[in-house]
Amino acid sequence: MFRQASRLLGRSSRPPRVRAMCTEVPANSNKDSAFVEAWKKVSPTMEPPHTPSTYMEPRPPTPSSLPSKLTVNFVLPYSSQLSGKEVDMVMVPATTGQMGVLPGHVPTIAELKPGVLSVHEGSDVTKYFVSSGFAFIHANSVADIVAVEAVPIDQIDASLVQKGLAEFTQKLSSATTDLEKAEAQIGVDVHSALNSTITG
């Protein structure tokens, strides 16, 4: 009921607005004053609800010329690895293959598979192993990379990877239900990718 309050109450008071494309986040604040006013009329004792746009930082407008750097935000559920870092290139392990992202890349959403994410900054290359996630490439040369789990390559213990691979391979061969097979297959895939990262 409340979801439609702003639409129903605001019909006569404001002109219809054109909805922006998903990659064209406005550079100004997303606070909808018409919604807040309509909310206060309907429920004056309650604060208006927060929407996702309340928590988003506004993005800069899409540049007219090709920028020299790519802005990267790399986040995990529990921490932020990179925030607004300007780099030359990012290589992400997409499910369709390794994908290089340079400044001016076409807007894209890519699902990540277990593999190496590398951040290139001049001659320095920082590598992380990611288990899964998504990469959102925006038209304004901003890349938002969200991973379920990530660890710098130099912090991976090769003996634990070998042990984990052996355990999950054993679980896969002895699995009887579809759930057990799926969980074991995920473990094998992640540990195989970890092993390839270390050895190769």
Side-chain angles (χ1 to χ4, degrees), residues 30-52:
N30 283 335
K31 191 166 186 176
D32 189 348
S33 58
F35 172 76
V36 172
E37 291 300 318
W39 180 272
K40 288 183 179 179
K41 289 178 186 174
V42 174
S43 183
T45 59
M46 290 177 61
E47 286 294 315
H50 294 288
T51 60

Side-chain angles (χ1 to χ4, degrees), residues 5-16 32-35 37-38 41:
S6 65
R7 185 175 59 83
L8 296 174
L9 294 174
R11 276 186 185 163
S12 59
S13 63
R14 63 180 174 167
D32 189 348
S33 58
F35 172 76
E37 291 300 318
K41 289 178 186 174

Side-chain angles (χ1 to χ4, degrees), residues 164 167-189:
E167 286 177 7
F168 279 106
T169 303
Q170 173 61 33
K171 286 181 181 179
L172 183 60
S173 63
S174 64
T176 56
T177 67
D178 288 341
L179 177 61
E180 289 174 350
K181 288 177 185 175
E183 288 175 344
Q185 186 63 55
I186 291 169
V188 168
D189 291 346

Side-chain angles (χ1 to χ4, degrees), residues 34-165:
F35 172 76
V36 172
E37 291 300 318
W39 180 272
K40 288 183 179 179
K41 289 178 186 174
V42 174
S43 183
T45 59
M46 290 177 61
E47 286 294 315
H50 294 288
T51 60
S53 60
T54 306
Y55 301 102
M56 291 175 57
E57 290 186 20
R59 296 231 185 271
T62 303
S64 57
S65 63
L66 189 65
S68 61
K69 295 285 185 181
L70 175 71
T71 304
V72 177
N73 300 305
F74 178 32
V75 295
L76 306 174
Y78 50 85
S79 70
S80 175
Q81 297 293 317
L82 302 172
S83 180
K85 186 167 182 79
E86 291 192 344
V87 300
D88 297 317
M89 179 177 75
V90 174
M91 292 288 290
V92 296
T95 54
T96 55
Q98 284 292 112
M99 182 173 79
V101 181
L102 295 166
H105 195 284
V106 65
T108 307
I109 298 175
E111 183 182 359
L112 304 181
K113 67 177 181 180
V116 178
L117 179 137
S118 57
V119 180
H120 300 257
E121 190 176 7
S123 60
D124 295 333
V125 179
T126 307
K127 294 184 177 184
Y128 299 88
F129 180 83
V130 295
S131 62
S132 61
F134 287 91
F136 303 91
I137 316 304
H138 305 279
N140 56 5
S141 291
V142 173
D144 293 324
I145 302 167
V146 182
V148 175
E149 192 67 56
V151 63
I153 296 294
D154 56 2
Q155 294 180 11
I156 297 173
D157 185 341
S159 62
L160 290 176
V161 171
Q162 293 295 330
K163 182 181 174 187
L165 182 57

